[in-house]
């Protein structure tokens, strides 16, 4: 197995990530999994909401720009 050299930028990124996880109280794999599930859920919800806004032509609470009777 070839060992890669870690660049100073990558080392700094890892340090910041570990600090962020510690501040969030994530200390184990289960915490990381829960955080990942929340992130995926948020991304999917926002994407679906944006797709619906695009399809309907107006956003969820923008009734002034609603141009249909539906």
């Amino acid at each position: 197995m070839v060992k890669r050299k870690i660049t100073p930028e990558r080392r700094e990124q890892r340090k910041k990530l570990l600090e962020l996880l510690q501040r969030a109280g994530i200390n184990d794999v289960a915490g990381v999994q829960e955080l990942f599930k929340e992130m995926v859920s948020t991304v999917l919800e926002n994407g679906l909401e944006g797709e619906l806004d695009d399809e309907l032509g107006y956003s969820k609470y923008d009734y002034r720009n609603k141009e249909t009777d539906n």
Side-chain angles (χ1 to χ4, degrees):
M1 180 185 251
V2 177
K3 190 171 183 178
R4 296 184 298 168
K5 292 184 180 179
I6 300 174
T7 64
E9 294 85 14
R10 184 69 175 154
R11 186 170 283 127
E12 186 64 28
Q13 287 174 344
R14 285 183 179 184
K15 183 180 174 184
K16 288 180 183 179
L17 181 60
L18 287 174
E19 289 173 7
L20 178 67
L21 291 173
Q22 287 175 348
R23 279 189 273 147
I26 297 173
N27 300 321
D28 58 0
V29 174
V32 173
Q33 287 176 333
E34 187 62 33
L35 177 63
F36 184 73
K37 284 178 9 183
E38 290 175 21
M39 289 172 46
V40 169
S41 174
T42 300
V43 168
L44 288 176
E45 286 176 17
N46 290 338
L48 290 172
E49 192 171 304
E51 187 177 344
L52 185 60
D53 292 350
D54 188 50
E55 181 68 27
L56 295 176
Y58 59 94
S59 63
K60 191 173 188 176
Y61 300 108
D62 188 15
Y63 298 110
R64 284 184 249 164
N65 293 323
K66 183 178 177 180
E67 297 177 3
T68 67
D69 294 333
N70 186 359

